[in-house]
Amino acid sequence: MSVAGVRIDKWLWAARFFRTRSAAQQAVAGGKVRLSGERTKPSAELRVGAQLAIHIGVYEWEITVVQLSAQRGPASIARELYVEDEASRHKRAAQAALRRVAADPGQERRGRPTKRERRQLERWCDAE
């Protein structure tokens, strides 16, 4: 699809960085997506050649927009919408390898401790 400019949230959704357009809007509004190093609004016009820094979870993509699309299509077509910098690709691969080898222990824990964990904590605190 050849157009002059596309909203940045629509493009991120079409390029499959986010599952929903509202998730893309929230990420852009929250500062997780930077256009040419600057924070932007979800309604900003994106053009071919734009530099984007996209931060999702622990990973960060540094990409250059090659094609514009406002429609979500197959993943194979979505990958053709951008080109990722080589340094960004290596950095993400290194982060993924590090996470596979040494997982963050706090990543597993969510919410309050269970009864068993609470008792273990109490025993540990009483031992000191």
Side-chain angles (χ1 to χ4, degrees):
M1 181 175 195
S2 178
V3 286
V6 176
R7 285 178 55 115
I8 193 167
D9 60 340
K10 275 189 179 181
W11 187 88
L12 288 167
W13 169 73
R16 293 182 168 261
F17 282 101
F18 297 97
R19 285 183 157 225
T20 63
R21 190 165 155 215
S22 64
Q25 284 176 336
Q26 290 172 356
V28 174
K32 303 290 186 191
V33 178
R34 296 190 174 270
L35 177 62
S36 301
E38 303 280 325
R39 274 185 83 152
T40 186
K41 295 194 281 187
S43 61
E45 286 278 314
L46 191 63
R47 302 202 181 273
V48 173
Q51 301 286 323
L52 291 176
I54 305 165
H55 188 83
I56 302 172
V58 295
Y59 299 111
E60 187 165 346
W61 283 263
E62 297 283 337
I63 63 168
T64 304
V65 177
V66 177
Q67 293 179 8
L68 298 178
S69 176
Q71 290 184 334
R72 190 173 172 104
S76 58
I77 293 175
R79 281 191 293 270
E80 296 173 2
L81 297 178
Y82 61 93
V83 174
E84 185 177 5
D85 295 349
E86 225 22 68
S88 172
R89 186 175 294 130
H90 289 300
K91 185 177 175 183
R92 276 192 315 106
Q95 286 176 332
L98 182 64
R99 288 176 59 83
R100 266 186 252 118
V101 173
D104 183 18
Q107 198 75 6
E108 299 170 8
R109 282 277 309 115
R110 290 231 161 79
R112 295 170 53 181
T114 63
K115 192 172 191 177
R116 179 175 181 235
E117 291 169 338
R118 182 181 49 78
R119 287 181 178 157
Q120 288 174 341
L121 281 170
E122 286 174 357
R123 272 188 243 120
W124 182 71
C125 289
D126 290 340
E128 290 182 356

